[in-house]
Amino acid sequence: MTPPKRYRKHVALTDLQSRRLTELSEFDGTDPMEHAKRAIDEYLQKQKLDFTPPKENDIRAEFRDHSGDANVQGAFWVSGTVDKYEFSALILKLPSKLGLDRGKISKVAIWDPEVLKNTGNFIGSCIVNYDRGWDIKPSKIAEPYFNKVKALLVQSAEQFIKNRFLR
């Protein structure tokens, strides 16, 4: 049997949560970690795990805008929508070793505009963020959206470069 995956993440409890956990453990004599594991198991059992991500063919992605980057010579920004999400990407004229798959896509972010509006936290609203390296890799749910955006960017990058730089 293979051991379960371990992730290098931790959960920080609030002071109130720590006090309540300590009180509960003192009351019944059970280890605080056992209470935490039970709470996590109970939470996971209530989750809906039968979600099926949409197929890439069913996802609609389109450009909304593109403009040159005043700070980077030979680069331009594109933005658009992919179903309910929005995306933004920095396309370079030439491939880069820091580009996505060593290509011309230097930065790409896909985010939920509703979450951004409600929280005001851009990174918290991102489902994908690549900024010369992965900040937020696409999850299984986000992967079809990322693949659709990436295909659109790769397909359109050459046309944008011809229009922008070869006039």
Side-chain angles (χ1 to χ4, degrees), residues 11-164:
V11 176
L13 300 177
T14 64
D15 290 337
L16 176 63
Q17 291 170 325
S18 293
R19 277 196 309 272
R20 300 286 270 182
L21 187 58
T22 301
E23 290 170 2
L24 182 60
S25 296
E26 288 172 354
F27 176 74
D28 67 4
T30 305
D31 180 36
M33 284 305 296
E34 187 61 36
H35 284 294
K37 287 178 186 176
R38 283 187 207 157
I40 292 169
D41 286 342
E42 184 179 322
Y43 170 80
L44 291 173
Q45 287 173 356
K46 291 180 183 178
Q47 297 306 302
K48 183 179 177 185
L49 299 175
D50 60 349
F51 175 79
T52 306
K55 296 189 181 348
E56 285 180 48
N57 295 340
D58 299 334
I59 297 172
R60 203 179 106 226
E62 61 189 14
F63 290 111
R64 186 179 57 235
D65 190 24
H66 65 281
S67 62
D69 187 339
N71 298 324
V72 182
Q73 187 70 20
F76 60 95
W77 284 98
V78 295
S79 60
T81 58
V82 55
D83 279 353
K84 71 173 191 167
Y85 301 106
E86 294 183 9
F87 70 88
S88 177
L90 180 65
I91 308 295
L92 304 175
K93 183 178 178 181
L94 300 172
S96 167
K97 67 179 181 179
L98 296 176
L100 184 63
D101 298 332
R102 295 186 168 270
K104 296 177 183 180
I105 302 169
S106 177
K107 300 179 182 188
V108 63
I110 304 172
W111 67 92
D112 188 332
E114 193 66 30
V115 173
L116 179 59
K117 180 181 161 191
N118 293 336
T119 65
N121 182 347
F122 178 74
I123 292 297
S125 67
C126 284
I127 60 170
V128 173
N129 192 38
Y130 181 90
D131 186 350
R132 293 168 279 176
W134 284 110
D135 297 318
I136 302 171
K137 286 186 175 186
S139 66
K140 287 185 180 183
I141 295 170
E143 193 169 18
Y145 299 103
F146 169 71
N147 290 339
K148 190 70 167 192
V149 168
K150 181 180 171 188
L152 181 65
L153 293 172
V154 169
Q155 174 186 4
S156 303
E158 288 305 316
Q159 188 63 38
F160 278 123
I161 290 168
K162 285 178 189 173
N163 290 343
R164 169 87 54 216

